[in-house]
DNA sequence: TCTATTTAGGACAAAAAAGTCTTTTATTAT
DNA sequence: ATAATAAAAGACTTTTTTGTCCTAAATAGA
């Protein structure tokens, strides 16, 4: 549905959001560990998200990544997709036609309308505060293996 | 949403279906021309679809591709995606987690449920007969440039 | 039978996406 | 100041996807 890059980006953001809500900054090594992404690749993704102002980063000992809690409601799945993949993923034609539109629809255009609408609504509705709370409440999970991903508070 | 391979595959299939309804067989050169896909790549895609029994192919002069009209209602978007991309596209987790399920959902699992459901319904509902009729009725279009894609009947 | 046409099949090339590694820069604590 | 830690930045490699090209096999028609 989205690129792997985006998948890692969203997973990382949700994890960082959770830690930020607990008052912790979390570093790259720990992030790639917890979300099961390649460290060197994850670096690039987090850099992009930092440059876009979605994450705050801090170098040096006790450094790492965080997200301002007051920004979490504003940052949604959509924003992260835009930052990492650019705009055209779910806005463009399902058959890749450049001239597809309501007036000049491709054969599956109408069939896709509902899906496209739901998708657009969904990516905007899913914000980081919500998503991080799901993790905190134990209702959702980020791990690949079922082992616990909890990090002791204040002791990153 | 789907791979370019699938996009070409679907576009080609709809075109072939339209021609078959008109009693025409249509060849590779014409297909790649009409749908705006690279000829050498399109060959591979059509071969796959032929091997999966979705298309009928015939070599030699007056050869080309066709689809049995009585099969058109059975062949849907889903079948073509399966033939060309394999199974995992819209069935797997939106965040790429292998252990994501209803019992052990990823953070966006529930958000995705509606989209996933609509998508699944859509790809099964959209069959070739329907899609080809849309073209014939002039309600939908396959072309990139707005030029006419009609082929004279019986004179392929 | 011979030739032209058209798909089948495989090797290869280019481009894009994913991933690795190494050096530099900033920050903290000693 | 110095050493240790962690992100920034960029070069490089691998893998996957997309695309090209060439030869072989089948078929139709003269």
């Amino acid at each position: 549905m989205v690129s792997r890059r985006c998948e890692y980006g969203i997973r990382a953001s949700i994890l960082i959001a959770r830690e930020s809500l607990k008052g912790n900054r979390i570093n790259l090594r720990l992030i790639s560990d917890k979300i099961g992404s390649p460290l060197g690749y994850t670096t690039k993704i987090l850099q992009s998200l930092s440059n876009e102002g979605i994450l705050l980063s801090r170098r040096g000992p006790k450094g790492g990544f965080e997200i301002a809690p007051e920004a979490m409601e504003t940052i949604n799945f959509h924003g992260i997709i835009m930052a990492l993949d650019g705009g055209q993923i779910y806005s463009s034609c399902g058959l890749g036609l450049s001239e597809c539109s309501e007036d000049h629809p491709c054969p599956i255009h109408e069939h896709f309308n509902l899906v496209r609408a739901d998708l657009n609504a969904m990516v905007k509705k899913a914000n980081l505060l919500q998503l991080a709370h799901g993790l905190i409440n134990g209702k959702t999970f980020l791990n690949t293996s079922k082992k616990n991903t909890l990090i002791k508070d204040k002791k990153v």
Side-chain angles (χ1 to χ4, degrees), chain A residues 53-108:
Chain A
I54 290 172
L55 304 179
L56 299 171
S57 71
R58 179 120 154 212
R59 298 182 183 184
K62 310 242 170 179
F65 296 87
E66 61 188 305
I67 299 175
E70 62 274 17
M72 288 184 193
E73 233 166 339
T74 321
I75 304 169
N76 53 25
F77 201 168
H78 173 77
I80 294 177
I81 293 174
M82 295 298 274
L84 295 178
D85 279 355
Q88 74 300 355
I89 315 103
Y90 44 87
S91 57
S92 67
C93 170
L95 293 185
L97 299 174
S98 53
E99 300 196 22
C100 177
S101 65
E102 289 300 317
D103 286 349
H104 190 263
C106 79
I108 64 157

Side-chain angles (χ1 to χ4, degrees), chain A residues 21-137:
Chain A
L21 286 174
K22 295 199 280 176
N24 298 330
R25 196 175 289 129
I26 179 172
N27 70 36
L28 175 64
R29 189 181 46 71
L30 221 35
I31 293 169
S32 82
D33 224 60
K34 296 296 172 193
I35 69 171
S37 65
L39 190 131
Y41 194 38
T42 310
T43 248
K44 304 305 181 55
I45 295 168
L46 297 183
Q47 270 173 46
S48 298
L49 291 174
S50 296
N51 290 337
E52 295 296 319
I54 290 172
L55 304 179
L56 299 171
S57 71
R58 179 120 154 212
R59 298 182 183 184
K62 310 242 170 179
F65 296 87
E66 61 188 305
I67 299 175
E70 62 274 17
M72 288 184 193
E73 233 166 339
T74 321
I75 304 169
N76 53 25
F77 201 168
H78 173 77
I80 294 177
I81 293 174
M82 295 298 274
L84 295 178
D85 279 355
Q88 74 300 355
I89 315 103
Y90 44 87
S91 57
S92 67
C93 170
L95 293 185
L97 299 174
S98 53
E99 300 196 22
C100 177
S101 65
E102 289 300 317
D103 286 349
H104 190 263
C106 79
I108 64 157
H109 192 88
E110 196 185 347
H111 290 82
F112 239 107
N113 270 344
L114 185 64
V115 179
R116 191 176 11 243
D118 286 348
L119 186 58
N120 272 283
M122 187 280 267
V123 295
K124 277 167 186 160
K125 192 176 157 202
N127 69 61
L128 279 185
L129 188 65
Q130 240 184 30
L131 298 175
H133 272 304
L135 270 191
I136 290 171
N137 299 339

